[in-house]
Amino acid sequence: MASLMEMKEIFRSADAVCFDVDSTVIREEGIDELAKFCGVGDAVAEMTRRAMGGTVTFKAALTARLGLIRPSYEQVQKLISDNPPQLTPGIRELVSRLHQRGVQVFLVSGGFQSIVEHVALQLNIPTANVFANRLKFYFNGEYAGFDETQPTAESGGKGKVISHLKEQFHFKKVVMIGDGATDMEACPPGDCFIGFGGNVIRKQVKEKAKWYITHFDELLKELEER
């Protein structure tokens, strides 16, 4: 197991950095915001808490939550335009600095493609570097389920994305940064996990992560030291 000093060196020399999105890159949980928007906020927030704590499988939690929300295409678009996701302080500067260093940045999220692509646009991350869940809609715009073939639709999916990236781009060192159990599980195959508690602190992650931060400035400082 790598020491904290070794992990910091991996981060400074990484080829690629993968960020979780909900409660990491953005301040909110996208699915909770969508639930509130659709009038079932409290019930879905409780399900999210259980999913993030790692007590139920991600796919089971996602299926149950979306079954309650049943968002239409119009509702998803209106949520993005009326309540756009709020970027976490420091993320814009950190992503910009990583880009300057030639590091590939990816958004790997259990959230929804349409919302995550909106976030990617603000951070100058190409949409090809977004891995997220896709909602499905009928021709009339009503909810028709989600694409269960996406790796991010199930537990362990973020690790599968990292394995895929390593195979495709031959990355030697990939870092995963996130707030939840599904992010921590992605290392290995990720080479280093950095727990993030700037928006919400998940007890299990804080206790188990060797490197735990509460502000992205901490990572910017690491990059400046080299």
Side-chain angles (χ1 to χ4, degrees):
M1 291 290 281
S3 68
L4 180 58
M5 197 186 298
E6 287 166 334
M7 288 172 75
K8 289 185 173 185
E9 178 52 36
I10 290 169
F11 173 66
R12 287 194 297 265
S13 58
D15 313 288
V17 176
C18 297
F19 287 92
D20 171 51
V21 176
D22 294 333
S23 296
T24 300
V25 168
I26 62 173
R27 306 197 72 146
E28 348 34 25
E29 283 290 323
I31 195 163
D32 288 352
E33 295 305 305
L34 186 57
K36 278 188 240 171
F37 198 73
C38 296
V40 287
D42 291 347
V44 169
E46 180 52 38
M47 285 182 179
T48 297
R49 272 194 290 277
R50 291 211 301 273
M52 282 299 174
T55 53
V56 291
T57 69
F58 185 81
K59 186 180 271 188
L62 185 61
T63 303
R65 288 180 292 177
L66 283 171
L68 263 180
I69 305 168
R70 302 195 64 79
S72 68
Y73 177 80
E74 189 184 348
Q75 284 173 317
V76 174
Q77 297 308 310
K78 194 161 169 49
L79 171 70
I80 294 169
S81 64
D82 290 6
N83 301 304
Q86 301 298 304
L87 291 177
T88 299
I91 188 63
R92 201 186 288 275
E93 294 80 4
L94 178 58
V95 170
S96 176
R97 188 78 185 95
L98 288 167
H99 281 156
Q100 284 168 14
R101 293 164 68 94
V103 179
Q104 289 261 19
V105 178
F106 296 86
L107 300 181
V108 185
S109 172
F112 306 123
Q113 187 89 15
S114 49
I115 296 173
V116 178
E117 284 185 353
H118 178 81
V119 174
L121 197 65
Q122 295 179 70
L123 296 171
N124 296 316
I125 295 170
T127 53
N129 288 18
V130 169
F131 292 84
N133 288 315
R134 296 176 184 273
L135 293 170
K136 297 198 289 194
F137 303 99
Y138 293 111
F139 286 116
N140 64 359
E142 285 180 10
Y143 174 68
F146 63 96
D147 183 354
E148 297 190 24
T149 67
Q150 294 295 320
T152 48
E154 53 191 316
S155 301
K158 293 182 180 184
K160 285 181 188 166
V161 170
I162 291 175
S163 292
H164 162 74
L165 293 176
K166 284 188 158 188
E167 279 170 31
Q168 187 176 359
F169 298 107
H170 307 292
F171 293 139
K172 298 282 188 290
K173 294 177 189 170
V174 179
V175 174
M176 180 77 212
I177 301 172
D179 67 289
T182 59
D183 307 308
M184 193 160 54
E185 287 165 4
C187 298
D191 300 279
C192 166
F193 169 68
I194 303 170
F196 183 72
N199 293 309
V200 61
I201 291 176
R202 317 265 180 212
K203 185 167 176 278
Q204 177 196 15
V205 175
K206 188 177 182 185
E207 286 172 358
K208 291 186 178 174
K210 277 198 179 171
W211 191 1
Y212 195 81
I213 63 167
T214 54
H215 201 288
F216 288 124
D217 280 357
E218 295 170 62
L219 297 183
L220 269 171
K221 285 193 190 107
E222 284 300 324
L223 295 179
E224 300 312 324
E225 283 176 20
R226 183 170 169 171

